[in-house]
Amino acid sequence: MSFIDINFTKAKRFIKNGNILKAKVIFENILLKYPNNTRAKNSLNSIINELNFESKSIKTDVSYEIEAVNEVIFLYKKNMITEAFTKGEILNKKFKNNEKLIVTLGCLYREMANVTKAIDCFNEALKLNPKSTEAMLNMGAILIDIGENDNAIEYYINAIKIDEKCFNAYGNLGCFYTSIGDY
């Protein structure tokens, strides 16, 4: 079976079980790899029409957004970087203000050694939520990676100021100080 056939089978199963939004994501993924696939285009258009989605600004409910973002995080944690990144990029077009998704994309860019894009993502997440300890922790980590230690320490300290129970910030600081011999 080909990639397309396997994914069509999955999508049909989702539709049969009433989970049309998951089927929609599958068709979008097919079109990402094969933009001219007529079957996928027709199926996606059918779903969009059935759900009364507007073709230019697709509206989804909050539970779908949470579920979809959590799927990207799951793929990332399973070290399925390419799959997580592909799905994350698609979702980022729909959910431009989802801080959790943007931080996850930053982590994925870091995994792919694209420091500039990773930093851009963490900065974007911090613009959306200046108190995002998760964005601060990841920004600190990537700054350590590139040798900007003083800036990294500031992010860790700010995370602790926002949440004094931010144990990851303490851990990251401890690891950093240990690495430079400052016990």
Side-chain angles (χ1 to χ4, degrees):
M1 269 187 142
S2 72
F3 168 84
I4 293 173
D5 292 331
I6 290 169
N7 281 290
F8 262 90
T9 302
K10 286 180 189 175
K12 286 179 184 177
R13 201 173 318 124
F14 282 129
I15 292 169
K16 184 178 179 182
N17 293 327
N19 198 335
I20 296 171
L21 295 175
K22 281 191 177 182
K24 180 180 163 297
V25 170
I26 289 174
F27 294 130
E28 288 171 337
N29 286 336
I30 292 171
L31 289 172
L32 190 66
K33 282 191 170 196
Y34 303 99
N36 296 322
N37 186 284
T38 307
R39 277 176 47 201
K41 282 181 184 179
N42 292 339
S43 297
L44 183 59
N45 285 334
S46 175
I47 287 175
I48 289 171
N49 290 334
E50 185 175 333
L51 295 174
N52 291 325
F53 281 14
E54 298 173 19
S55 60
K56 288 190 178 177
S57 60
I58 297 172
K59 297 179 181 176
T60 62
D61 60 58
V62 174
S63 63
Y64 169 70
E65 181 176 345
I66 293 168
E67 183 179 316
V69 171
N70 285 340
E71 186 177 347
V72 172
I73 294 167
F74 174 79
L75 292 169
Y76 169 59
K77 287 181 178 179
K78 291 292 182 186
N79 206 31
M80 298 173 72
I81 303 304
T82 304
E83 296 86 346
F85 182 75
T86 301
K87 188 171 290 280
E89 284 289 296
I90 291 169
L91 292 175
N92 194 39
K93 292 175 184 165
K94 297 176 191 173
F95 311 120
K96 293 183 186 293
N97 294 321
N98 188 302
E99 171 198 337
K100 197 173 188 178
L101 177 61
I102 294 167
V103 169
T104 303
L105 282 171
C107 293
L108 289 164
Y109 277 119
R110 181 177 178 217
E111 287 287 328
M112 297 183 297
N114 191 332
V115 173
T116 304
K117 288 276 197 178
I119 289 173
D120 288 346
C121 287
F122 300 139
N123 278 327
E124 187 179 340
L126 287 166
K127 284 180 189 170
L128 289 171
N129 178 6
K131 294 185 177 191
S132 171
T133 56
E134 190 174 357
M136 288 179 194
L137 290 170
N138 284 292
M139 181 67 90
I142 200 157
L143 291 173
I144 293 284
D145 290 349
I146 61 173
E148 291 189 25
N149 301 338
D150 291 339
N151 288 337
I153 290 168
E154 282 184 44
Y155 279 98
Y156 294 145
I157 290 171
N158 285 337
I160 292 168
K161 286 179 183 175
I162 289 167
D163 178 6
E164 58 187 40
K165 292 182 181 181
C166 186
F167 301 117
N168 287 334
Y170 290 109
N172 289 0
L173 276 171
C175 288
F176 168 72
Y177 286 129
T178 300
S179 74
I180 62 169
D182 189 356
Y183 304 104

